[in-house]
Amino acid sequence: MTASSREDKLKSGIEEAKSALQIEADAVLKLKEDLDGSFKKAMELIIDSEGRVVFTGVGKTGLVAKKLAATFSSTGTSAFFVHAGEGLHGDLGMIRAGDVVIAVSNSGETDEVLSLLPSLRRIGVTLIALTGDSTSTLAEHADLILLADVITEACPHNLAPTASTTAALALGDALAIALSSYYGFTPEDFALYHPGGSLGRKLLTKVKDVIKIREQNPTVKIETTVREALFKMTNSRMGSTSIVDQEGKLKGIITDGDIRRLLEKSANFIDHPVKNYMTSDPVSISPDRLAAEALQIMESKEINDLPVVEAGRPVAMLNFQDLLRAKVF
């Protein structure tokens, strides 16, 4: 193959890629335009069901069904996947009366899926057909049809499942999100089901978890000298210290940066009361707040230390580096 021939083929491939993306985008947009009462009915069937949602399918649409089961589960709707082929050899025992089974098949004529129908009826499930053909055998035997039909596949030969699987996936995702909205699923709920991910750390890690990293709470009384406050910072290896009144209530904060700026003018202040130079009523956070909130405060205020306060009294000093170590990002 010559260099020019190779380049021509690459250009042709790129044009085919653009065409494929357009076809798949059009297929998804068509779903939006065609969304009807059957979608609402599907929501109602799942909401009113006392069972779980079970996805089934084989081949490419089976992979779509498996992904949708994962999406439903992670967004608040209990779901799992049963491979239609394995279902014919015992895995139907995972399904019970009252479940809602969503069978995914573009043609609606997949042998393995159709072979499940008699047993599914005997078990006593509600059957939803997620299909591209409303006149298919699967659609005929379903309680409800979710139609994901496409004009053509993105494959230039109109053979490989491409636009049809994208449409089925998009319609299933839309159903998952609609149900999630109905249930009032929150980011905190999402984090509960994803404790190992970055979002999980953001939404499950609290300030009280992070302050255990260093367990420092530098505090001085309001009449303490700046010199003593500096010693307190040095001993605690923190860049600031909380300043409290006689009852232990937070009144202010002073940082090593404050002291350096004062030194640029004069050193006469070093034995004066720290109350003369502190930042009064500093921003603070409670130990039960999310560490991500502390991070947002520190970034917006451009500060490295944040007093952790409970009932008006400082119980710890949170440092920006501690949040880095806790990976709250």
Side-chain angles (χ1 to χ4, degrees), residues 210-218 315-317 322:
V210 179
I211 59 179
K212 294 177 183 177
I213 293 175
R214 198 182 306 228
E215 294 186 338
Q216 290 293 335
N217 185 31
V315 295
M317 184 69 75
D322 298 335

Side-chain angles (χ1 to χ4, degrees), residues 107-301:
S107 68
E109 301 295 344
T110 308
D111 289 340
E112 294 90 339
V113 173
L114 296 182
S115 295
L116 296 177
L117 299 184
S119 294
L120 290 175
R121 284 304 178 207
R122 290 186 64 184
I123 291 170
V125 305
T126 298
L127 179 63
I128 297 176
L130 178 48
T131 180
D133 188 348
S134 61
T135 64
S136 63
T137 304
L138 177 60
E140 181 184 346
H141 288 83
D143 297 297
L144 183 72
I145 302 168
L146 283 176
L147 188 60
D149 61 332
V150 298
I151 297 172
T152 183
E153 297 287 5
C155 167
H157 306 297
N158 196 29
L159 294 174
T162 44
S164 59
T165 48
T166 297
L169 183 63
L171 188 56
D173 280 345
L175 183 57
I177 298 306
L179 290 166
S180 180
S181 174
Y182 176 87
Y183 292 131
F185 196 73
T186 66
E188 288 75 18
D189 295 324
F190 187 90
L192 181 63
Y193 299 145
H194 300 74
S198 60
L199 181 61
R201 284 193 297 273
K202 287 181 181 179
L203 295 178
L204 294 179
T205 303
K206 295 188 176 182
V207 169
K208 63 184 177 185
D209 301 317
V210 179
I211 59 179
K212 294 177 183 177
I213 293 175
R214 198 182 306 228
E215 294 186 338
Q216 290 293 335
N217 185 31
T219 59
V220 295
K221 294 290 180 63
I222 200 166
E223 297 298 334
T224 301
T225 65
V226 175
R227 184 189 301 274
E228 292 173 286
L230 185 58
F231 288 154
K232 177 67 73 171
M233 290 183 222
T234 302
N235 291 335
S236 66
R237 295 187 176 183
M238 300 294 284
S240 63
T241 181
S242 297
I243 301 166
V244 299
D245 60 18
Q246 297 303 316
E247 297 179 352
K249 297 291 184 71
L250 181 67
K251 303 304 290 184
I253 188 173
I254 191 167
T255 70
D256 53 6
D258 295 331
I259 295 174
R260 284 196 300 272
R261 285 186 286 274
L262 288 168
L263 283 171
E264 291 177 354
K265 300 176 181 178
S266 170
N268 295 334
F269 70 92
I270 200 72
D271 290 313
H272 292 179
V274 72
K275 66 179 180 180
N276 297 341
Y277 309 101
M278 70 181 186
T279 298
S280 300
D281 299 320
V283 61
S284 62
I285 195 166
S286 76
D288 288 323
R289 299 294 289 275
L290 292 173
E293 294 182 58
L295 176 63
Q296 189 277 327
I297 291 171
M298 296 169 85
E299 288 182 330
S300 64
K301 300 291 184 181

